[in-house]
Amino acid sequence: MAEIATIARPYAEALFQVVKADVTQAAQWLDGLAVVAADEGLLQYAHDPKVGHDQVMALITQVGPKNLPAVAVNFLGMLIDNGRLSVLPEIAKQFHALVNAMQGVRQAVVFSPFPIEPKALGDLTQVIEKRFGGKLQVQVALEPELIGGVRVVVGDEVLDTSVKARLEQMKVALTA
């Protein structure tokens, strides 16, 4: 996985520099292309030696996002020519990380044993933004083994207020 990230990084950084004036629009078409490029059937078709790059480009532009700007078409063509179409989902991921860094937004994953209502998630987001000192883009992941409470992961920082974590702390304290 590290190899894919290493390959994707220069592409994501170059695209970010080119579209810096309109990263929101670029993120939209890049996400659409990443979804298309993640399809195994398309990747097999693209790697078929009998299929030309123009045919791959035509297929992607037909099934992918419509009205792609010239920079998107050029970027896609470069990836196809360099045999890097399979890296496009990772490029999109790293591109979003660059956009978030530019906007001062960090990714946060809230692990919860049960679904969180939108209002409760909004309240929780405010609390963890204060705790982590900045704007967060929150994503919820279900993890039933937590029993109760939540575990929040922001970058390499973890805030674990789950029942499971508290039980583990009690176990360590009692066995020490």
Side-chain angles (χ1 to χ4, degrees):
M1 197 63 143
E3 183 179 321
I4 291 174
T6 303
I7 293 169
R9 186 172 300 109
Y11 289 103
E13 290 172 352
L15 179 62
F16 181 75
Q17 292 301 320
V18 169
V19 298
K20 212 170 197 176
D22 194 9
V23 293
T24 306
Q25 181 189 11
Q28 290 174 350
W29 58 255
L30 186 59
D31 287 342
L33 290 174
V35 168
V36 172
D39 182 71
E40 285 298 320
L42 174 79
L43 292 175
Q44 286 178 353
Y45 179 75
H47 289 92
D48 186 339
K50 297 176 186 172
V51 176
H53 293 184
D54 293 339
Q55 292 170 306
V56 175
M57 177 69 90
L59 178 63
I60 293 173
T61 54
Q62 185 179 22
V63 298
K66 303 301 178 213
N67 302 322
L68 289 173
V71 68
V73 173
N74 291 339
F75 185 71
L76 181 59
M78 177 188 59
L79 291 176
I80 293 169
D81 290 344
N82 292 333
R84 299 295 192 206
L85 190 59
S86 62
V87 183
L88 191 51
E90 180 64 24
I91 293 170
K93 180 180 171 186
Q94 291 192 22
F95 181 83
H96 281 287
L98 291 168
V99 171
N100 287 342
M102 179 186 83
Q103 296 172 343
V105 177
R106 297 183 345 181
Q107 292 290 114
V109 180
V110 175
F111 295 93
S112 173
F114 49 85
I116 301 175
E117 297 292 325
K119 182 175 179 350
L121 182 60
D123 295 343
L124 177 62
T125 300
Q126 289 178 351
V127 170
I128 61 176
E129 282 180 344
K130 287 179 186 174
R131 165 65 174 81
F132 288 98
K135 185 81 174 132
L136 298 174
Q137 189 173 46
V138 178
Q139 174 185 354
V140 177
L142 294 181
E143 197 171 299
E145 56 271 5
L146 293 179
I147 304 169
V150 294
R151 185 174 79 231
V152 181
V153 178
V154 179
D156 60 352
E157 297 179 73
V158 178
L159 173 64
D160 197 344
T161 63
S162 67
V163 172
K164 180 181 177 184
R166 291 183 183 184
L167 289 173
E168 289 293 325
Q169 289 171 351
M170 289 171 58
K171 177 183 172 186
V172 169
L174 290 173
T175 58

